[in-house]
Amino acid sequence: MMKTAIAKLTRLAALVLVLAPLGACALADVASGPAPSLYVLTAPTPALPGTAMAANTQLSVREFQAPSAIDTGRIVFQPSPNEIKYYAGARWSDRAPRMIASLLVETLTNTGRFPAILGPETQARTDLALTGDIRAFSAFRDGAGLGEGATKVRVAFFVRLVRARGGVVLAGREFTAEAASASGRMDDIVAAYNAALDTALSDITAWTLEQSLAAMADEARLAS
């Protein structure tokens, strides 16, 4: 009996010695897996008419609301209206709503028509605020196309201009834009995201300036 017990313990010790390095290798493989490629988008400088007036009002941009499938750093591919997938090994540098808010602040600032544009983190009091919902921010296949340009990107936002004092909604409008990818490569798909977003942000900026000027005129009329 004693010899049998010693033999079992010997075999168990040998098994532990064999498995230990395998476990270490498994942990090493997890830690050394390839990091995802990070992508950033850039803000446009909208081409406003030279006669466009400046809005003498401070404006803040709040982070837009988004469904949980979009409220992520992952890059969305939507193979059908009822299905959401994500590109493997690729991510935005930030959550999509936060990234879009930062780009909208930069786009509005690039016009030079506002004295101050404040981001979501700023607690300073402003006259007007932009809020909204992200309704689409995804790549998709155009029909059954498999060639170059078959992948497109669609962005859609519903934007509201709000009087910061009292939270009264002054105006609201939906903005959509699409852009085709030159190929199925990730760099080209990100470029299509950038092109569609450039169009939408430029349109939002022109509309925001127009509505801000109208809000200023209304306030002046009521004050007189």
Side-chain angles (χ1 to χ4, degrees):
M1 293 292 291
M2 180 65 70
K3 290 182 179 180
T4 303
I6 292 173
K8 287 182 178 179
L9 288 174
T10 302
R11 286 197 297 271
L12 180 60
L15 182 61
V16 169
L17 290 173
V18 169
L19 291 179
L22 292 177
C25 289
L27 290 176
D29 287 343
V30 170
S32 62
S37 298
L38 296 181
Y39 292 90
V40 297
L41 300 178
T42 57
T45 299
L48 298 175
T51 56
M53 296 175 59
N56 187 25
T57 182
Q58 289 190 334
L59 179 70
S60 63
V61 176
R62 298 174 185 170
E63 190 174 297
F64 288 7
Q65 298 296 309
S68 58
I70 296 175
D71 189 4
T72 175
R74 304 182 74 179
I75 301 177
V76 178
F77 173 71
Q78 196 161 4
S80 73
N82 300 317
E83 186 179 5
I84 293 286
K85 293 186 176 181
Y86 301 97
Y87 286 101
R91 288 179 179 268
W92 300 123
S93 61
D94 206 339
R95 290 171 37 250
R98 185 181 177 92
M99 177 176 64
I100 290 167
S102 297
L103 291 170
L104 183 52
V105 169
E106 189 175 349
T107 305
L108 289 160
T109 302
N110 287 345
T111 67
R113 299 300 203 281
F114 294 89
I117 305 293
L118 305 178
E121 301 84 4
T122 306
Q123 300 300 317
R125 180 173 294 181
T126 59
D127 303 307
L128 303 173
L130 277 180
T131 67
D133 307 309
I134 303 174
R135 295 185 171 176
F137 193 65
S138 61
F140 66 97
R141 282 282 185 182
D142 189 11
L146 297 176
E148 290 189 0
T151 300
K152 292 185 176 180
V153 169
R154 181 174 185 267
V155 301
F157 309 103
F158 191 87
V159 182
R160 304 172 189 86
L161 183 66
V162 178
R163 193 181 304 283
R165 185 180 64 255
V168 178
V169 177
L170 302 176
R173 181 182 156 187
E174 186 174 37
F175 297 86
T176 64
E178 289 187 4
S181 173
S183 74
R185 293 177 60 250
M186 201 66 231
D187 287 349
D188 288 330
I189 291 168
V190 170
Y193 265 98
N194 218 142
L197 191 60
D198 278 3
T199 299
L201 294 184
S202 295
D203 291 346
I204 292 170
T205 296
W207 175 82
T208 300
L209 179 58
E210 177 186 341
Q211 296 301 322
S212 297
L213 291 170
M216 288 170 49
D218 287 344
E219 280 205 359
R221 187 165 53 252
L222 292 173
S224 61

